[in-house]
Amino acid sequence: MKRLLLRSGKSPFDVVPVEEAIHRDVIGTNSGNLIFSDAAHKILTTPETEVVSNGMRTDVSAAGRINEEYDAFVIPLANAFRPSFEPSLQRLTRLISKLKIPVVILGVGAQAGVTYDPARLKAMEPTVRAFCAAVLERSASIGVRGEFTEQYLTGLGFKDVEVIGCPSMFLHGDKLPVEKKAPALTAESRIAVNGSHTAMRGGGLHRIVDRAHARYPHLRYIGQNIQDARQLHWRDVDSAAGRITEMPTHPDHPMYREGKARVYMDPVTWLEDLRGFDYSFGSRIHGNIAALLAGTPATVLAFDSRTLELCRYFEIPHQRLDQTPPDTDPAELYEKADFGPLTGNHRERFDRFVAFLDKNGLPNTFSHGDGGEAFEKKLRSLSFPPGVQPWNDTDLASLSTRFGWLQQRITELDTHNAQLKRELAKNRVGAKALAHAARPVPSVYRRARRAMGGRLRRALGSDQ
């Protein structure tokens, strides 16, 4: 049995309660990460291959164990070539440099603006060079998301670079059936919309969303950031991103108050819900890829190179957000969206992806297995929590569950820290050691407990 180590927030088969998923941040700050890591897990699982999730943290000291226990390390990445990810990329490079097994990169991307100007990446070129050099010592080639990243790495002198897109698009292998369910959108259409904090405020996407909200009663916003989930589940606005009121996940937004916002901690529930929608649009690439995988038509409003290059490669209907008027109606986007090139050329792109896997010694379930049937059967046997929803003050069962988790978690952490204080006092260890060893209770938990406790008391009082 060949064993592959896969960089991913969690295994597709890990059923994690919502509170714990948010606390541990199993989505790696963005639930879109799980769309491509789950797809990679399915694709690489064969009767002769076991895939094990490694988590998102990079433990350089684990290199020896990885060399002993695994036959290859597979790393699906998104927009990893960006300044804010540089420290993580450096840690990953240090780990890779200590590995003696093959290391394969699935779909890494460079992030710049829609004009493809790499100037903002200049300062991190030494980091990118070191990463690519370490990988290419252990693999035949590097798989990148699209044309911009290919040009960027080629400009740095790397020749073994292949455009393979993102593994998420090959969740169903060479099949991608997407077609319009109705000739046009109407007021009764179910529409999903998505967008980042930057696109909402800086790109003006909130104006399009607000107008769509007024026109379509069944519009639903699907967030992806961990902050979105914290806002929906705990009403946490204690961060710069959390205070952006244009986001439908903010408690002051009408879509929040109407219960029309969600964040999914598991791709399986995300895709299942999207199957019931007529259309999806917005600036989130994996939010719209999730819709396409569910068979639901989608249009991407590209906001940067990471979304634009994937749209161009896969021929996903798209247009630039900065060229989209604020009064744009989703019906207009739906009407002009052509899914012929996307579906018609999908087999060719899939074959190219499989050839990349073959070159790097990775069998896949579609060529060497059951096409993912066992994977899907196992998923269907599990019961995953639904998408994270806004607070509903009249839903006592939901409030009680959340309140109970908070009570337990806060008690555990308070008890842990009290024990530490006693032990450290006995040993006369200073305050610095205590601060290092203690695990403070996140302030959001205490605020949420106060708010939720008040709501529970009022709700129970009104029932008596």
Side-chain angles (χ1 to χ4, degrees):
M1 175 70 72
K2 190 172 187 176
R3 301 188 80 221
L4 303 181
L5 186 63
L6 182 74
R7 183 181 185 269
S8 62
K10 73 180 187 71
S11 164
F13 309 119
D14 286 345
V15 179
V16 183
V18 167
E19 292 83 7
E20 194 64 26
I22 295 174
H23 178 71
R24 285 168 41 197
D25 188 14
V26 298
I27 63 176
T29 75
N30 185 335
S31 56
N33 292 327
L34 292 184
I35 295 289
F36 61 76
S37 65
D38 276 22
H41 199 118
K42 175 184 176 180
I43 292 166
L44 297 174
T45 300
T46 73
E48 288 77 35
T49 307
E50 177 190 6
V51 181
V52 179
S53 292
N54 185 49
M56 300 297 280
R57 291 186 177 181
T58 301
D59 182 5
V60 179
S61 66
R65 177 183 60 81
I66 294 173
N67 283 326
E68 291 177 4
E69 298 180 8
Y70 298 96
D71 298 288
F73 185 25
V74 181
I75 309 175
L77 288 171
N79 52 323
F81 300 153
R82 68 183 194 275
S84 62
F85 193 73
E86 186 172 10
S88 298
L89 197 64
Q90 290 170 338
R91 285 194 298 273
L92 197 54
T93 302
R94 289 198 294 273
L95 172 61
I96 292 171
S97 298
K98 294 177 178 292
L99 297 181
K100 300 176 182 178
I101 59 176
V103 176
V104 184
I105 305 300
L106 295 184
V108 66
Q111 183 175 339
V114 289
T115 61
Y116 287 179
D117 182 358
R120 69 189 296 266
L121 305 177
K122 186 68 177 177
M124 67 177 298
E125 281 185 7
T127 296
V128 175
R129 289 178 189 275
F131 172 79
C132 292
V135 169
L136 287 173
E137 287 180 4
R138 295 160 178 82
S139 62
S141 57
I142 291 179
V144 300
R145 287 165 67 123
E147 57 188 354
F148 171 62
T149 307
E150 180 186 34
Q151 294 165 8
Y152 173 66
L153 292 186
T154 300
L156 294 182
F158 295 101
K159 304 303 180 185
D160 296 316
V161 179
E162 296 184 55
V163 177
I164 61 170
C166 177
S168 60
M169 287 292 284
F170 305 115
L171 178 69
H172 307 311
D174 63 357
K175 298 177 178 61
L176 188 65
V178 179
E179 58 183 26
K180 295 180 180 180
K181 303 172 185 178
L185 297 183
T186 70
E188 296 305 309
S189 297
R190 296 196 69 201
I191 304 172
V193 63
N194 50 73
S196 66
H197 291 77
T198 307
M200 280 289 181
R201 171 172 279 187
L205 181 58
H206 69 282
R207 298 186 183 92
I208 299 173
V209 174
D210 289 345
R211 284 173 171 80
H213 175 234
R215 294 169 180 166
Y216 298 94
H218 305 295
L219 182 74
R220 178 183 293 178
Y221 178 81
I222 300 180
Q224 291 182 206
N225 276 6
I226 192 65
Q227 179 59 43
D228 295 334
R230 288 172 180 152
Q231 284 183 329
L232 293 185
H233 206 68
W234 302 125
R235 288 189 181 172
D236 175 24
V237 295
D238 191 28
S239 69
R243 290 187 285 273
I244 298 178
T245 56
E246 291 91 343
M247 291 294 292
T249 53
H250 192 282
D252 290 341
H253 196 282
M255 291 186 71
Y256 185 109
R257 296 195 298 269
E258 295 168 15
K260 295 178 178 178
R262 298 286 188 277
V263 174
Y264 295 90
M265 294 287 127
D266 300 281
V268 63
T269 52
W270 193 353
L271 269 61
E272 182 60 34
D273 280 4
L274 282 172
R275 289 189 182 97
F277 282 77
D278 299 294
Y279 184 54
S280 171
F281 77 100
S283 67
R284 286 289 194 184
I285 184 64
H286 283 102
N288 292 303
I289 285 178
L292 296 173
L293 294 173
T296 298
T299 298
V300 177
L301 300 179
F303 186 62
D304 53 21
S305 66
R306 59 178 170 169
T307 52
L308 187 57
E309 68 174 351
L310 273 180
C311 288
R312 286 176 171 170
Y313 179 66
F314 284 108
E315 298 178 279
I316 299 170
H318 67 280
Q319 63 186 54
R320 284 170 48 170
L321 179 58
D322 62 352
Q323 297 175 353
T324 303
D327 61 350
T328 296
D329 190 315
E332 301 169 22
L333 301 173
Y334 182 85
E335 181 181 7
K336 62 183 179 182
D338 179 6
F339 298 95
L342 167 73
T343 58
N345 297 323
H346 184 72
R347 176 58 186 267
E348 179 185 343
R349 285 184 283 264
F350 174 71
D351 290 343
R352 190 177 302 126
F353 179 70
V354 167
F356 170 83
L357 295 179
D358 290 343
K359 180 187 293 186
N360 284 280
L362 295 178
N364 73 86
T365 188
F366 301 103
S367 304
H368 311 95
D370 63 0
E373 288 186 17
F375 180 96
E376 296 293 345
K377 183 179 180 180
K378 186 172 181 178
L379 276 184
R380 290 193 297 271
S381 72
L382 302 171
S383 181
F384 293 91
V388 184
Q389 302 183 32
W391 280 16
N392 181 344
D393 291 351
T394 62
D395 186 351
L396 286 180
S398 174
L399 286 175
S400 297
T401 298
R402 300 181 196 202
F403 187 78
W405 186 91
L406 283 172
Q407 287 283 73
Q408 179 181 356
R409 188 67 190 174
I410 291 173
T411 299
E412 288 173 354
L413 290 172
D414 282 342
T415 301
H416 167 78
N417 290 339
Q419 290 174 344
L420 273 177
K421 286 180 180 179
R422 288 193 294 269
E423 291 297 321
L424 292 172
K426 287 179 184 177
N427 298 312
R428 298 182 179 180
V429 179
K432 284 186 178 181
L434 173 61
H436 178 74
R439 291 178 290 174
V441 179
S443 57
V444 59
Y445 292 171
R446 296 198 187 279
R447 290 196 304 272
R449 183 174 64 171
R450 286 196 297 270
M452 215 172 291
R455 283 172 168 81
L456 278 170
R457 286 191 294 272
R458 288 194 294 274
L460 290 171
S462 65
D463 288 340
Q464 295 174 349

